[in-house]
Short mmCIF file of all heavy atoms in Angstrom, two decimals:
data_model
loop_
_atom_site.label_atom_id
_atom_site.label_comp_id
_atom_site.label_asym_id
_atom_site.label_seq_id
_atom_site.Cartn_x
_atom_site.Cartn_y
_atom_site.Cartn_z
N GLN Y 1 0.82 -1.21 0.00
CA GLN Y 1 0.00 0.00 -0.01
C GLN Y 1 0.86 1.25 0.00
O GLN Y 1 0.57 2.23 -0.69
CB GLN Y 1 -0.92 -0.01 1.23
CG GLN Y 1 -1.99 -1.07 1.18
CD GLN Y 1 -2.85 -1.09 2.42
OE1 GLN Y 1 -2.43 -0.60 3.49
NE2 GLN Y 1 -4.03 -1.66 2.32
N LEU Y 2 1.93 1.24 0.77
CA LEU Y 2 2.82 2.40 0.84
C LEU Y 2 3.45 2.67 -0.52
O LEU Y 2 3.59 3.85 -0.91
CB LEU Y 2 3.90 2.17 1.89
CG LEU Y 2 3.45 2.15 3.36
CD1 LEU Y 2 4.62 1.72 4.25
CD2 LEU Y 2 2.95 3.54 3.78
N GLU Y 3 3.82 1.65 -1.23
CA GLU Y 3 4.46 1.84 -2.54
C GLU Y 3 3.49 2.49 -3.51
O GLU Y 3 3.88 3.32 -4.34
CB GLU Y 3 4.97 0.51 -3.09
CG GLU Y 3 6.19 -0.05 -2.36
CD GLU Y 3 7.44 0.83 -2.50
OE1 GLU Y 3 7.45 1.73 -3.37
OE2 GLU Y 3 8.39 0.61 -1.71
N GLU Y 4 2.23 2.14 -3.44
CA GLU Y 4 1.22 2.76 -4.29
C GLU Y 4 1.10 4.26 -3.97
O GLU Y 4 1.00 5.08 -4.87
CB GLU Y 4 -0.13 2.07 -4.12
CG GLU Y 4 -0.17 0.64 -4.66
CD GLU Y 4 -1.52 -0.03 -4.44
OE1 GLU Y 4 -2.45 0.67 -3.98
OE2 GLU Y 4 -1.63 -1.22 -4.73
N VAL Y 5 1.10 4.57 -2.68
CA VAL Y 5 1.04 5.98 -2.29
C VAL Y 5 2.30 6.71 -2.73
O VAL Y 5 2.26 7.84 -3.24
CB VAL Y 5 0.85 6.11 -0.76
CG1 VAL Y 5 0.89 7.57 -0.33
CG2 VAL Y 5 -0.46 5.46 -0.34
N ALA Y 6 3.44 6.06 -2.56
CA ALA Y 6 4.73 6.65 -2.96
C ALA Y 6 4.74 6.98 -4.44
O ALA Y 6 5.28 8.02 -4.85
CB ALA Y 6 5.88 5.74 -2.61
N GLU Y 7 4.17 6.12 -5.28
CA GLU Y 7 4.11 6.39 -6.71
C GLU Y 7 3.33 7.66 -7.00
O GLU Y 7 3.70 8.46 -7.86
CB GLU Y 7 3.48 5.20 -7.43
CG GLU Y 7 4.38 3.98 -7.51
CD GLU Y 7 3.74 2.83 -8.27
OE1 GLU Y 7 2.69 3.08 -8.94
OE2 GLU Y 7 4.27 1.71 -8.23
N ARG Y 8 2.25 7.85 -6.28
CA ARG Y 8 1.43 9.06 -6.48
C ARG Y 8 2.15 10.31 -5.97
O ARG Y 8 2.03 11.37 -6.57
CB ARG Y 8 0.08 8.90 -5.78
CG ARG Y 8 -0.78 7.79 -6.40
CD ARG Y 8 -2.16 7.75 -5.78
NE ARG Y 8 -2.89 9.00 -6.02
CZ ARG Y 8 -4.10 9.24 -5.52
NH1 ARG Y 8 -4.70 8.33 -4.76
NH2 ARG Y 8 -4.70 10.38 -5.76
N VAL Y 9 2.92 10.13 -4.91
CA VAL Y 9 3.74 11.26 -4.41
C VAL Y 9 4.79 11.64 -5.45
O VAL Y 9 4.94 12.81 -5.81
CB VAL Y 9 4.42 10.89 -3.08
CG1 VAL Y 9 5.52 11.91 -2.72
CG2 VAL Y 9 3.40 10.82 -1.95
N ARG Y 10 5.47 10.64 -5.97
CA ARG Y 10 6.54 10.91 -6.94
C ARG Y 10 5.98 11.49 -8.23
O ARG Y 10 6.67 12.25 -8.94
CB ARG Y 10 7.32 9.63 -7.19
CG ARG Y 10 8.15 9.19 -5.96
CD ARG Y 10 8.64 7.77 -6.08
NE ARG Y 10 9.31 7.38 -4.82
CZ ARG Y 10 9.26 6.13 -4.31
NH1 ARG Y 10 8.59 5.18 -4.96
NH2 ARG Y 10 9.88 5.87 -3.17
N ALA Y 11 4.75 11.18 -8.56
CA ALA Y 11 4.11 11.71 -9.76
C ALA Y 11 3.93 13.23 -9.67
O ALA Y 11 3.80 13.91 -10.69
CB ALA Y 11 2.78 11.04 -10.01
N THR Y 12 3.95 13.76 -8.44
CA THR Y 12 3.85 15.22 -8.25
C THR Y 12 5.21 15.91 -8.42
O THR Y 12 5.29 17.13 -8.39
CB THR Y 12 3.30 15.56 -6.86
OG1 THR Y 12 4.30 15.26 -5.86
CG2 THR Y 12 2.04 14.80 -6.55
N GLY Y 13 6.28 15.10 -8.51
CA GLY Y 13 7.62 15.66 -8.61
C GLY Y 13 8.33 15.73 -7.28
O GLY Y 13 9.47 16.20 -7.21
N ARG Y 14 7.69 15.23 -6.22
CA ARG Y 14 8.32 15.23 -4.90
C ARG Y 14 8.87 13.85 -4.57
O ARG Y 14 8.54 12.84 -5.24
CB ARG Y 14 7.32 15.67 -3.82
CG ARG Y 14 6.67 17.00 -4.05
CD ARG Y 14 7.66 18.14 -4.36
NE ARG Y 14 8.72 18.24 -3.36
CZ ARG Y 14 9.63 19.21 -3.35
NH1 ARG Y 14 9.61 20.15 -4.31
NH2 ARG Y 14 10.58 19.26 -2.43
N ARG Y 15 9.68 13.77 -3.53
CA ARG Y 15 10.32 12.52 -3.12
C ARG Y 15 9.50 11.86 -2.02
O ARG Y 15 8.85 12.52 -1.21
CB ARG Y 15 11.73 12.79 -2.64
CG ARG Y 15 12.67 13.33 -3.71
CD ARG Y 15 14.01 13.73 -3.13
NE ARG Y 15 13.88 14.89 -2.23
CZ ARG Y 15 14.90 15.40 -1.52
NH1 ARG Y 15 16.09 14.81 -1.56
NH2 ARG Y 15 14.71 16.45 -0.74
N ALA Y 16 9.58 10.52 -2.00
CA ALA Y 16 8.88 9.74 -0.96
C ALA Y 16 9.82 8.70 -0.40
O ALA Y 16 10.54 8.04 -1.15
CB ALA Y 16 7.65 9.08 -1.53
N LEU Y 17 9.85 8.58 0.91
CA LEU Y 17 10.60 7.53 1.59
C LEU Y 17 9.59 6.59 2.25
O LEU Y 17 8.77 7.03 3.08
CB LEU Y 17 11.53 8.10 2.64
CG LEU Y 17 12.29 7.05 3.50
CD1 LEU Y 17 13.23 6.24 2.64
CD2 LEU Y 17 13.07 7.75 4.63
N VAL Y 18 9.62 5.32 1.86
CA VAL Y 18 8.68 4.32 2.38
C VAL Y 18 9.32 3.57 3.54
O VAL Y 18 10.43 3.03 3.40
CB VAL Y 18 8.29 3.33 1.27
CG1 VAL Y 18 7.50 2.17 1.82
CG2 VAL Y 18 7.49 4.05 0.19
N VAL Y 19 8.65 3.57 4.70
CA VAL Y 19 9.18 2.88 5.89
C VAL Y 19 8.06 1.97 6.45
O VAL Y 19 7.26 2.42 7.29
CB VAL Y 19 9.64 3.86 6.96
CG1 VAL Y 19 10.28 3.09 8.12
CG2 VAL Y 19 10.61 4.89 6.40
N PRO Y 20 8.00 0.72 6.01
CA PRO Y 20 7.02 -0.20 6.60
C PRO Y 20 7.38 -0.43 8.07
O PRO Y 20 8.54 -0.67 8.39
CB PRO Y 20 7.18 -1.47 5.78
CG PRO Y 20 7.88 -1.05 4.53
CD PRO Y 20 8.77 0.10 4.95
N ALA Y 21 6.39 -0.39 8.94
CA ALA Y 21 6.66 -0.57 10.38
C ALA Y 21 5.40 -0.85 11.14
O ALA Y 21 4.29 -0.48 10.69
CB ALA Y 21 7.34 0.69 10.95
N ASP Y 22 5.56 -1.50 12.26
CA ASP Y 22 4.47 -1.67 13.21
C ASP Y 22 4.42 -0.42 14.08
O ASP Y 22 5.24 -0.24 14.99
CB ASP Y 22 4.70 -2.91 14.09
CG ASP Y 22 3.63 -3.10 15.16
OD1 ASP Y 22 2.69 -2.28 15.21
OD2 ASP Y 22 3.76 -4.05 15.95
N LEU Y 23 3.47 0.46 13.80
CA LEU Y 23 3.47 1.77 14.44
C LEU Y 23 2.87 1.74 15.85
O LEU Y 23 2.77 2.79 16.48
CB LEU Y 23 2.74 2.79 13.57
CG LEU Y 23 3.40 3.01 12.20
CD1 LEU Y 23 2.64 4.05 11.40
CD2 LEU Y 23 4.88 3.44 12.36
N SER Y 24 2.50 0.56 16.32
CA SER Y 24 2.14 0.46 17.73
C SER Y 24 3.38 0.34 18.60
O SER Y 24 3.35 0.48 19.81
CB SER Y 24 1.23 -0.75 17.99
OG SER Y 24 1.92 -1.97 17.71
N ASP Y 25 4.53 0.12 17.94
CA ASP Y 25 5.84 0.06 18.60
C ASP Y 25 6.39 1.47 18.67
O ASP Y 25 6.72 2.08 17.67
CB ASP Y 25 6.76 -0.84 17.78
CG ASP Y 25 8.15 -0.99 18.40
OD1 ASP Y 25 8.55 -0.14 19.24
OD2 ASP Y 25 8.87 -1.93 18.02
#
């Protein structure tokens, strides 16, 4: 899911860093 969002971010000309994580930690 994050990679799909990152593709849309990059399509705007901006950079995206994807960090999969358990955010309850």
